[in-house]
């Protein structure tokens, strides 16, 4: 197969040459050949200016759902601006921005902050990286381990946001709402005796960092920053646990897996238990034996249906509380729950060690 810029040889006179897709071989009236029209010639032209915010100061700007539609986006040289990308994108780079508030909808690939300072952000992405940045505060959803490099004063919290189009945007870029390593930061350039990053306060209010948009155009997006409505479950991450007792609950693939997992989260957090971490991952039979032990044989057939969703809850009485909730609310659904307090911590470790290896972390 030749490259898209290769030139085809002209057919010899009298040879039969099939017409290219989207072309008409000859003009019916004159018998002359028409200029070929290829399908790629008929695509809408991309203007980079539609996917760039550059050199702005003291402005509120953004893109509504459907206006980016998976394209790359560039934000550079902006100061004292509020910037909102309410759509999914391929990659985003943010360079040389100062004192900006930024919301970035789901990003299929990477988001890269370079030479930015005093910015507050809400970001959902596959990969997150900063270089030469200072004092960034980020509410993050990241499928892989976030990386900072030559950056100081970084603070991170769990992504917390909702608008009606957001769930489909996550699906469009292939991000799971249950795979969020927001607090598992890797500092590529650590300094002995210093910590270049920290976690935001657990009670941090999203709107205090990135206010809702003030422009008339962007006000039409129906936003909620209520934790109960967040598209991403709010997890404790690497904050200190409140108890020595944790419990693992695993849902298997089916029509209502996500809804059931969200329901159990609501029930358990409503009873005062903490959601520590979540994960969505494919499992094989050998993985099941390692994680589920004596229950593995009856659960292995369920693994063929798709990925499992695992939840870790923490708090005194978490095992008993989870068992009773599953029994009361999910009596017709197969759910793995740690059998006892003695085995629960090992269940959690076994599953998440497997999941991290599976996902290359």
């Amino acid at each position: 197969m030749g490259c898209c810029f290769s030139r085809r040889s002209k057919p010899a006179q009298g040879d039969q040459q099939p017409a290219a897709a989207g072309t008409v071989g000859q003009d019916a009236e004159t018998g002359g050949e028409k200029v070929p029209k290829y399908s790629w010639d008929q695509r809408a032209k991309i203007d980079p200016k539609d996917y760039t915010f550059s050199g702005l100061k003291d402005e509120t700007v953004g893109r509504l759902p459907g206006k980016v539609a998976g394209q790359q986006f560039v934000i550079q040289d902006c100061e004292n601006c509020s910037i909102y990308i309410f759509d999914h994108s391929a990659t985003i780079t943010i360079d040389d921005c100062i004192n900006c508030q930024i919301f970035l909808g789901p990003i299929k690939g990477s988001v890269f902050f370079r030479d930015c300072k005093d910015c507050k952000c809400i970001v959902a992405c596959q990969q997150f990286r900063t270089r030469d940045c200072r004092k960034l505060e980020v509410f993050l959803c990241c499928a892989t381990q976030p990386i900072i490099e030559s950056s100081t004063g970084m603070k991170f919290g769990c992504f917390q946001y909702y608008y009606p189009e957001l769930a489909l945007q996550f699906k469009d870029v292939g991000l799971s709402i249950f795979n969020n390593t927001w607090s598992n930061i890797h500092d590529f350039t650590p300094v002995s005796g210093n910590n270049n990053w920290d976690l935001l306060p657990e009670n941090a209010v999203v709107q205090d960092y990135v206010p809702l948009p003030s422009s008339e155009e962007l006000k039409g997006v129906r936003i909620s920053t209520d934790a109960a409505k967040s598209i991403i479950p709010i997890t404790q991450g690497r904050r200190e646990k409140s108890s020595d007792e944790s419990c693992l609950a695993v849902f298997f693939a089916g029509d209502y897996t996500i809804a059931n997992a969200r329901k159990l989260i609501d029930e358990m957090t409503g009873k005062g238990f903490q959601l520590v971490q979540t994960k969505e991952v494919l499992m094989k039979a050998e993985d099941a034996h390692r994680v589920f032990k004596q229950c593995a044989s009856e659960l292995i057939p369920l693994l063929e249906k798709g990925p499992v969703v695992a939840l870790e809850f923490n708090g005194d009485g978490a095992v008993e509380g989870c068992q009773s909730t599953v029994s009361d609310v999910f009596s017709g659904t197969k759910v793995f729950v740690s059998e006892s307090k003695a085995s629960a911590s090992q269940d959690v470790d076994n599953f998440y060690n497997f999941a991290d290896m599976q996902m290359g972390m």
Side-chain angles (χ1 to χ4, degrees):
M1 181 177 179
C3 78
C4 60
F5 297 107
S6 61
R7 177 176 295 179
R8 295 183 180 182
S9 59
K10 186 176 180 180
Q13 188 173 2
D15 287 352
Q16 295 297 319
Q17 180 75 6
T23 69
V24 177
Q26 290 188 335
D27 187 296
E29 295 182 0
T30 66
E33 291 187 359
K34 283 189 173 182
V35 176
K37 294 182 179 179
Y38 298 97
S39 57
W40 52 82
D41 290 331
Q42 300 174 34
R43 296 174 185 166
K45 301 297 183 183
I46 300 298
D47 186 347
K49 292 181 181 179
D50 293 334
Y51 305 97
T52 302
F53 290 135
S54 180
L56 305 180
K57 187 173 182 179
D58 302 319
E59 294 191 43
T60 295
V61 294
R63 290 290 182 267
L64 294 171
K67 296 300 183 182
V68 179
Q71 297 295 325
Q72 299 179 15
F73 211 97
V74 174
I75 302 170
Q76 59 189 14
D77 300 309
C78 294
E79 185 176 354
N80 300 329
C81 289
S82 296
I83 299 169
Y84 305 86
I85 307 296
F86 293 124
D87 204 2
H88 67 98
S89 57
T91 61
I92 296 184
T93 56
I94 302 96
D95 294 329
D96 300 289
C97 289
I98 300 173
N99 193 34
C100 290
Q101 295 81 48
I102 302 171
F103 174 87
L104 303 178
I107 302 162
K108 185 173 184 177
S110 63
V111 58
F112 200 175
F113 288 81
R114 296 176 295 199
D115 299 288
C116 296
K117 63 180 181 180
D118 298 313
C119 291
K120 298 174 173 61
C121 313
I122 305 171
V123 180
C125 60
Q126 176 74 22
Q127 298 176 325
F128 177 91
R129 187 169 181 178
T130 71
R131 190 178 68 203
D132 299 317
C133 291
R134 181 163 60 86
K135 293 183 65 178
L136 265 60
E137 296 172 317
V138 186
F139 291 88
L140 179 63
C141 173
C142 188
T144 57
Q145 186 175 29
I147 295 174
I148 64 172
E149 179 182 359
S150 302
S151 299
T152 60
M154 312 291 289
K155 293 186 178 181
F156 295 90
C158 184
F159 183 101
Q160 184 175 318
Y161 220 75
Y162 168 84
Y163 53 86
E165 298 85 356
L166 191 53
L168 183 57
Q169 292 171 5
F170 266 85
K171 186 175 181 180
D172 285 339
V173 300
L175 291 179
S176 169
I177 63 172
F178 297 108
N179 291 335
N180 184 11
T181 64
W182 67 270
S183 64
N184 186 21
I185 311 299
H186 175 67
D187 188 350
F188 200 72
T189 51
V191 178
S192 179
N194 292 328
N195 192 3
N196 293 320
W197 66 275
D198 201 352
L199 302 182
L200 288 168
E202 190 171 350
N203 60 354
V205 178
V206 172
Q207 286 181 234
D208 291 344
Y209 293 79
V210 182
L212 300 185
S214 58
S215 70
E216 290 302 319
E217 178 189 29
L218 299 175
K219 280 182 179 179
V221 181
R222 291 181 292 154
I223 300 165
S224 173
T225 58
D226 183 350
K229 293 184 178 181
S230 176
I231 189 70
I232 299 295
I234 311 302
T235 56
Q236 289 292 112
R238 298 208 165 188
R239 291 192 178 101
E240 184 176 356
K241 295 179 181 180
S242 63
S243 168
D244 292 333
E245 182 177 347
S246 282
C247 179
L248 178 69
V250 181
F251 286 89
F252 299 88
D255 293 336
Y256 305 104
T257 304
I258 293 177
N260 287 340
R262 297 301 297 254
K263 178 66 175 174
L264 182 58
I265 291 170
D266 291 343
E267 292 284 337
M268 289 292 286
T269 55
K271 294 176 181 178
F273 297 105
Q274 296 177 330
L275 178 64
V276 178
Q277 58 182 330
T278 65
K279 193 73 73 176
E280 183 174 10
V281 66
L282 286 165
M283 296 186 72
K284 299 178 182 178
E286 56 266 32
D287 305 320
H289 285 292
R290 181 170 37 173
V291 174
F292 303 130
K293 294 184 171 58
Q294 64 269 24
C295 300
S297 57
E298 62 178 296
L299 299 177
I300 286 174
L302 301 176
L303 302 180
E304 298 176 359
K305 298 180 180 180
V308 302
V309 173
L311 314 171
E312 180 192 351
F313 296 102
N314 181 264
D316 293 341
V319 173
E320 182 179 353
C322 194
Q323 289 175 344
S324 63
T325 301
V326 167
S327 177
D328 293 342
V329 181
F330 304 99
S331 57
T333 302
K334 191 66 177 178
V335 187
F336 172 85
V337 180
S338 298
E339 289 187 352
S340 66
K341 180 179 177 180
S343 66
S345 294
Q346 190 62 54
D347 290 340
V348 171
D349 290 342
N350 286 342
F351 182 87
Y352 284 99
N353 287 339
F354 142 74
D356 287 344
M357 289 178 60
Q358 185 83 348
M359 302 181 75
M361 288 187 287

